[in-house]
Amino acid sequence: MASTADFKNGLCLEMNNDIWTIVEFQHVKPGKGAAFVRTKLKSLTSAKTLDKTFNAGEKVTTARVEKRPHQFLYKDDMGYNFMDTNTFEQIMIEEKLIERSDLLKDGQLVDILIHDETETPLSVELPPFVELMITYTEPGIKGDTATNALKPATVETGATVMVPLFVDQDTMIKVDTRDGSYSERVK
């Protein structure tokens, strides 16, 4: 059990026969009336979001989840296959549990959230940035670096990323996995 004073981003709660994680929260103390906590929750099993308000000091049930390091091995018609880097056990995960699965490349290290009591995988967290090679993009024209224009580029995983005009084919770039945007060139 936890109180609303223990809320922090990433805390997992058990509510309505589901496991939810806190995406963001705000403690509000109006001039008149009791304080409350406004939260935005995301379901780890169905990826739904929910806005919920808790009274200050309210008790909630926390879910016991564990982050375990895994390495992405390959994708087949059943799903994505990962290997636990500690025990070398392999696990298959459905695509719906992986956010930004188009940025996964072979050998990529990820963290998998696993429910402690049932040992079921809940979600896959990619690192904040991944380094990918551009396999195809239109060639840039000299002098195009002054504007903030972007062009589409296909990376080695097959994903399309919008990059600045000066980035060429066969260039390693760093991609932000939270929104799939170009970050910088890798030296």
Side-chain angles (χ1 to χ4, degrees), residues 3 15 31 42 65 70 88 105-107 111 115-116 119 128 148:
S3 167
M15 287 181 356
K42 180 181 178 189
V65 294
H70 283 72
F88 304 108
K105 70 176 185 178
D106 294 347
D111 286 329
H115 192 261
D116 261 1
E119 287 292 319
N148 199 11

Side-chain angles (χ1 to χ4, degrees), residues 151-172:
K151 63 181 179 180
T154 306
V155 294
E156 61 188 292
T157 61
T160 303
V161 179
M162 297 302 285
V163 298
L165 295 173
F166 59 83
V167 177
D168 293 324
Q169 193 167 317
D170 298 326
T171 304
M172 286 291 283

